[in-house]
Amino acid sequence: MVHTKNNTLLILSRRANAYAAIINAAGLPDLKIIALETVEEALPGAAQANILLGAPDQLRKILPATDRLEWVQSTWAGVNPLLGADCRRDYMLTGVKGVFGPIMAEYALCYMLLHERNVLQCYALQQKKQWKMPKPGLLRGKRVGIMGVGSIGTAIAETAKYFEMLTSGYSGTPSPRASIDQMFGPDQLLEFTRDLDYLISVLPDTPATAHLIDATVFNAMKPEAVFINVGRGNAVEESALINALNNKIIAGAVLDVFQQEPLPTTHPFWDTAGLIITSHKSALSSPEDIAPLFLDNYRHFAAGNPLKYQIDFARGY
């Protein structure tokens, strides 16, 4: 089916005007653009749109008002707010690929280097005016395990290889990757975990990943190991992680994502020793990164061709 007439794109984003400027400059055929920054502004005009672009949590609020909806382009890598049982699924949903991998790889390498080079300890000694240096480590030769070896996990593995690290991958559907030295499947979780110096989760939020990283996993890790989560908060059993840190079962953790966001001020994570919290900022989307994906997909859409990065509602990715 060719979609070439009367297409209306509603952009819902705090940077809606920036998205609109990039898309307008491309001169796409048969496309009217409505650029709005808030849900309240978007609701009255939602019925006109057959295409939406924006953050899933905001788009979810206007879905019931979209009478002509055919396609939604997310600006996030994850689309979980649009996957609830109470959400409509009578449209094509596309995600983001190839954008966040390098950014998240920088994030992961930043915190692995921070750990190896004892940055926080050095700064604490500086504050005390003490001239001594904790013995630094090296990433070279250390083993990093990546749970979820899609485009983001692969980018992390490729960057780790630059530092001459050993790489292990864990996937629900394992297949060879040039940057992964050893791949593991669902029945090999503890075997995958056992020899890691760093465990990085890039897992999506699906029923299969819920609390997959639990006490059994932490107990199988080396006491020197560090856990980093840039995927989704549902993958981690939070009480098990707190116990693992408090009892020095693992050496530390870095969390960018949580089961509840924003993280409540009463949550015990804030006071857990060895835990670094970042506020879901490992990879922020920008119009300059996301708009080109939309432009490419719009041309496919207008020609009636399959869209890139289409989400399977049942699988969640």
Side-chain angles (χ1 to χ4, degrees):
M1 180 179 179
V2 178
H3 307 265
T4 57
K5 296 184 182 300
N6 301 317
N7 290 315
T8 299
L9 166 66
L10 192 158
I11 303 169
L12 176 54
S13 168
R14 285 177 294 180
R15 301 195 63 188
N17 290 331
Y19 276 107
I22 297 171
I23 295 170
N24 267 320
L28 296 176
D30 301 303
L31 182 65
K32 175 185 176 183
I33 300 174
I34 304 171
L36 300 168
E37 295 184 0
T38 69
V39 170
E40 291 71 25
E41 292 174 320
L43 279 170
Q48 303 176 46
N50 64 320
I51 307 170
L52 301 179
L53 183 152
D57 61 339
Q58 298 300 296
L59 295 181
R60 176 189 175 111
K61 299 172 185 176
I62 68 170
L63 281 185
T66 52
D67 298 333
R68 301 177 57 222
L69 187 61
E70 296 179 77
W71 168 33
V72 170
Q73 172 65 60
S74 168
T75 58
W76 293 358
V79 294
N80 198 57
L82 297 173
L83 301 178
D86 58 337
C87 283
R88 59 190 287 187
R89 300 185 173 189
D90 57 341
Y91 63 92
M92 295 177 289
L93 173 60
T94 53
V96 177
K97 299 283 187 183
V99 170
F100 297 123
I103 303 171
M104 286 191 173
E106 282 194 21
Y107 176 95
L109 265 295
C110 166
Y111 285 100
M112 287 193 286
L113 285 167
L114 178 141
H115 178 73
E116 290 294 336
R117 289 289 169 171
N118 300 307
V119 174
L120 297 181
Q121 297 93 318
C122 289
Y123 187 70
L125 290 170
Q126 175 185 329
Q127 301 305 103
K128 298 175 183 178
K129 301 181 181 179
Q130 294 182 7
W131 180 268
K132 59 180 181 180
M133 170 74 73
K135 183 180 178 181
L138 290 173
L139 289 180
R140 185 177 66 232
K142 298 289 175 61
R143 181 171 292 278
V144 56
I146 301 163
M147 300 184 75
V149 195
S151 61
I152 294 172
T154 299
I156 293 173
E158 289 170 350
T159 307
K161 277 297 176 188
Y162 178 81
F163 288 85
E164 300 182 39
M165 298 184 75
L166 304 173
T167 55
S168 296
Y170 174 91
S171 173
T173 54
S175 59
R177 297 282 196 283
S179 56
I180 299 292
D181 298 319
Q182 196 171 7
M183 186 69 80
F184 297 83
D187 58 343
Q188 301 171 297
L189 178 57
L190 296 186
E191 183 182 350
F192 159 76
T193 304
R194 199 162 284 124
D195 296 324
L196 300 179
D197 297 289
Y198 294 93
L199 172 60
I200 301 176
S201 174
V202 199
L203 293 171
D205 185 344
T206 70
T209 64
H211 291 182
L212 183 62
I213 304 168
D214 58 10
T216 306
V217 170
F218 293 125
N219 288 334
M221 293 171 69
K222 300 192 298 188
E224 304 83 12
V226 172
F227 171 62
I228 300 173
N229 190 6
V230 293
R232 289 294 177 263
N234 83 309
V236 183
E237 188 176 291
E238 294 183 343
S239 60
L241 176 56
I242 292 168
N243 179 71
L245 290 168
N246 286 339
N247 291 288
K248 302 190 185 306
I249 295 170
I250 62 174
V254 180
L255 302 182
D256 188 55
V257 289
F258 305 86
Q259 292 184 23
Q260 184 179 352
E261 296 182 8
L263 190 66
T265 57
T266 56
H267 198 288
F269 273 162
W270 292 111
D271 300 308
T272 300
L275 174 60
I276 295 175
I277 292 171
T278 63
S279 306
H280 207 145
K281 296 292 188 293
S282 62
L284 299 178
S285 62
S286 72
E288 294 76 16
D289 289 329
I290 306 301
L293 299 181
F294 173 82
L295 295 174
D296 186 30
N297 250 346
Y298 180 80
R299 296 182 180 99
H300 287 278
F301 179 80
N305 296 327
L307 301 185
K308 294 181 178 180
Y309 317 132
Q310 190 162 343
I311 303 295
D312 182 321
F313 284 102
R315 296 170 66 188
Y317 57 92

